[in-house]
Amino acid sequence: MTWRVTLEPIVGFSHTIGNTRYGFSDLRELLAKATPLRSGDMLAGLAAHSAEERAAAQCALADLPLAHFLSEQVIPYERDEVTRLIVDTHDADAFSPVQSLTVGELRDWLLSDEATGERLAALAPGVTPEMAAAVSKLMRVQDLVATATKIRVVTRFRTTVGLPGRLSARLQPNHPTDNAAGIAASILDGLLLGSGDAVIGINPAGDDVAGTTRLLRMIDALRQRFHIPAQSCVLAHVTTQIAALEAGAPVDLIFQSIAGTEAANRSFGVNLALLTEANEAGKALRRGAVCADGQLGDNILYFETGQGSALSANAHHGVDQQTIEARAYAVARHFRPMLVNTVVGFIGPEYLYDGKQITRAGLEDHFCGKLLGLPMGCDVCYTNHAEADQDDMDVLMTLLGVAGVNYIMGVPGADDVMLHYQSTSFHDALYLRRVLGLRPAPEFEAWLAGDEFGRLALEANHPERLLPG
């Protein structure tokens, strides 16, 4: 604890409110104390001790030159490969238009008419995750929405995701025993309600090559039978997916959970070298299609993140959870993924206590990811022991729709019977599309209007017929 009532010179950063000077010893502490209140930072002992101290930290942060983030790292370069990735890949030319600004001035510029979508896309390689996290801490909810809606990040595999005026959905047909008939029924339900253009992605109950291969072959047979323009993914560990790929499984997207520190990624059983291997293996299959705009789909990775994952693994190095989350986006950005999904309320109330904290975190994650150039989706979700309900999720989902989120989840009944948490349903994607005038991915939209969709609809009462063989 470094805050104190004093007028003596201090080392680090400071701001005075009235007769009280609040001191912050380094960038790591300044970022943590400036963060809007959330339970995870309190649990870690990093949060501001009062609203006044938080305001002082935000004022000090607003006056901090952006260039300072290039000279001070929240985790030392020598200790962390994510830090090395951030430093070594920083694009100085892209950064030059804002290099003279402070964090507060960056916020003002992002909200101005000068910050067009084209300029924000050009800026992305010059923004470090710590810069993105810092400016988000100074923003109101409407600021996060207003800036993110200007940024479009488009990716392609068999569908084109992220185009203006479009909203996609991941069809998530999980089953507690990986029962093929149960999964097929959920897939059919989702397709008939217009979900699946982001990905048909199954979280398997087990994590083995045989089971992963069986599920991949099941989705691929269905896709080919009805000529569905969609990509599949079985969200096993990346090493399991690589082994299935090497054994001849029809792998489309390759999934992995990632975090913002080397130690947290190690807890997931991955590092940058392994992710590089997976990316190269997936690209070598060349399973993507020529999409509606004539470009070949070659984005093949699917990453999931979430505030609190590094803290839960005791791998946060004393950095606040939102800054660590933004650092995970630097890992994702390096690999040009098809999809990035912040699973915002999944870890639980120990990290995001209630609907207010979940809403704020989801909008921060979406903003930071888009500012860094990522195709952001969001699993608008909560656990059953959090102080949140479906009304909170409706608010966040609607705000994200306005902010231009690339995709949301489509879970039968919004209740995942395998992972045991509450998310969004197929009908929620339809709601957003209707009230905001959004449409599915163009390839998927054309399929929904065609004969193959009609053939699929005829099988609606017989999901067992969708199974291979």
Side-chain angles (χ1 to χ4, degrees):
M1 183 175 71
T2 60
W3 73 279
R4 50 188 170 275
V5 179
T6 178
L7 294 179
E8 298 176 358
I10 64 171
V11 175
F13 311 94
S14 67
H15 185 80
T16 300
I17 297 179
N19 293 322
T20 303
R21 174 178 288 180
Y22 293 92
F24 312 97
S25 60
D26 54 20
L27 180 60
R28 180 175 59 182
E29 183 182 12
L30 179 64
L31 289 168
K33 294 293 178 66
T35 305
L37 183 66
R38 63 207 56 197
S39 53
D41 292 337
M42 295 177 67
L43 178 68
L46 303 175
H49 295 83
S50 66
E52 185 173 279
E53 186 186 19
R54 183 173 301 109
Q58 290 172 341
C59 289
L61 184 61
D63 291 335
L64 184 66
L66 289 175
H68 182 87
F69 290 88
L70 303 180
S71 61
E72 182 180 357
Q73 304 303 320
V74 295
I75 303 174
Y77 183 93
E78 298 77 12
R79 293 178 55 192
D80 186 86
E81 70 171 359
V82 176
T83 299
R84 293 193 289 275
L85 176 69
I86 293 167
V87 172
D88 294 347
T89 61
H90 180 254
D91 188 328
D93 291 336
F95 178 61
S96 61
V98 298
Q99 65 182 353
S100 64
L101 301 183
T102 64
V103 176
E105 290 169 340
L106 176 63
R107 171 193 173 274
D108 293 343
W109 182 79
L110 290 172
L111 293 169
S112 74
D113 291 338
E114 294 181 9
T116 62
E118 293 76 14
R119 288 181 176 177
L120 291 170
L123 176 65
V127 178
T128 70
E130 290 85 358
M131 292 177 193
V135 73
S136 75
K137 297 175 193 295
L138 306 182
M139 289 180 146
R140 296 169 58 184
V141 161
Q142 67 174 255
D143 300 340
L144 297 169
V145 172
T147 303
T149 196
K150 295 191 280 188
I151 305 171
R152 308 304 309 190
V153 182
V154 179
T155 55
R156 300 166 184 84
F157 193 80
R158 293 193 187 97
T159 60
T160 307
V161 175
L163 290 168
R166 306 278 179 170
L167 173 72
S168 296
R170 170 189 162 186
L171 202 172
Q172 184 170 306
N174 297 343
H175 191 279
T177 64
D178 289 341
N179 178 268
I183 291 171
S186 293
I187 292 175
L188 177 60
D189 190 23
L191 290 171
L192 291 176
L193 289 169
S195 284
D197 53 334
V199 64
I200 301 173
I202 303 171
N203 296 89
D207 192 339
D208 61 272
V209 174
T212 297
T213 300
R214 176 177 60 85
L215 294 175
L216 286 168
R217 286 178 174 160
M218 172 186 165
I219 303 175
D220 198 59
L222 176 66
R223 178 186 67 82
Q224 293 192 54
R225 178 178 171 186
F226 294 100
H227 301 94
I228 306 169
Q231 39 278 341
S232 64
C233 185
V234 173
L235 284 70
H237 191 268
V238 64
T239 53
T240 304
Q241 295 168 82
I242 292 174
L245 180 156
E246 292 173 342
V251 174
D252 289 344
L253 303 189
I254 297 178
F255 162 82
Q256 181 55 46
S257 293
I258 58 172
T261 72
E262 179 180 344
N265 284 324
R266 188 184 308 120
S267 75
F268 289 144
V270 299
N271 54 32
L272 297 179
L274 180 58
L275 295 177
T276 299
E277 177 187 347
N279 192 37
E280 292 173 351
K283 283 183 178 295
L285 295 179
R286 297 183 64 84
R287 288 177 57 83
V290 175
C291 293
D293 59 1
Q295 296 194 46
L296 178 65
D298 65 349
N299 302 110
I300 61 97
L301 291 181
Y302 173 16
F303 292 125
E304 288 192 345
T305 67
Q307 289 193 29
S309 59
L311 175 58
S312 68
N314 195 28
H316 61 295
H317 298 277
V319 182
D320 70 272
Q321 66 183 37
Q322 192 252 333
T323 300
I324 289 291
E325 172 72 3
R327 284 170 55 94
Y329 303 153
V331 176
R333 177 172 62 178
H334 184 64
F335 295 100
R336 295 180 58 247
M338 177 69 184
L339 307 169
V340 178
N341 179 32
T342 168
V343 193
V344 64
F346 183 75
I347 303 181
E350 300 85 358
Y351 306 96
L352 296 169
Y353 178 71
D354 57 14
K356 181 180 178 66
Q357 292 187 13
I358 292 170
T359 296
R360 171 82 197 187
L363 294 170
E364 288 170 347
D365 295 350
H366 178 252
F367 162 81
C368 288
K370 284 285 184 69
L371 188 60
L372 291 166
L374 286 177
M376 292 301 296
C378 183
D379 191 342
V380 181
C381 64
Y382 63 101
T383 57
N384 289 315
H385 62 309
E387 291 294 322
D389 58 28
Q390 211 63 42
D391 285 343
D392 296 309
M393 300 305 103
D394 283 352
V395 170
L396 175 54
M397 175 180 62
T398 303
L399 287 168
L400 285 167
V402 176
V405 71
N406 280 23
Y407 67 99
I408 62 170
M409 301 297 109
V411 177
D415 184 359
D416 193 299
V417 296
M418 195 278 282
L419 294 174
H420 302 295
Y421 78 115
Q422 309 305 309
S423 184
T424 49
S425 71
F426 307 135
H427 296 85
D428 290 326
L430 293 178
Y431 149 75
L432 277 185
R433 286 171 180 164
R434 176 169 295 181
V435 299
L436 298 177
L438 303 173
R439 296 149 59 194
E443 303 84 359
F444 197 76
E445 182 182 37
W447 178 77
L448 290 171
D451 293 341
E452 294 299 330
F453 177 76
R455 284 205 309 122
L456 179 72
L458 291 176
E459 305 288 347
N461 294 321
H462 303 282
E464 69 279 0
R465 297 180 185 173
L466 304 181
L467 302 177

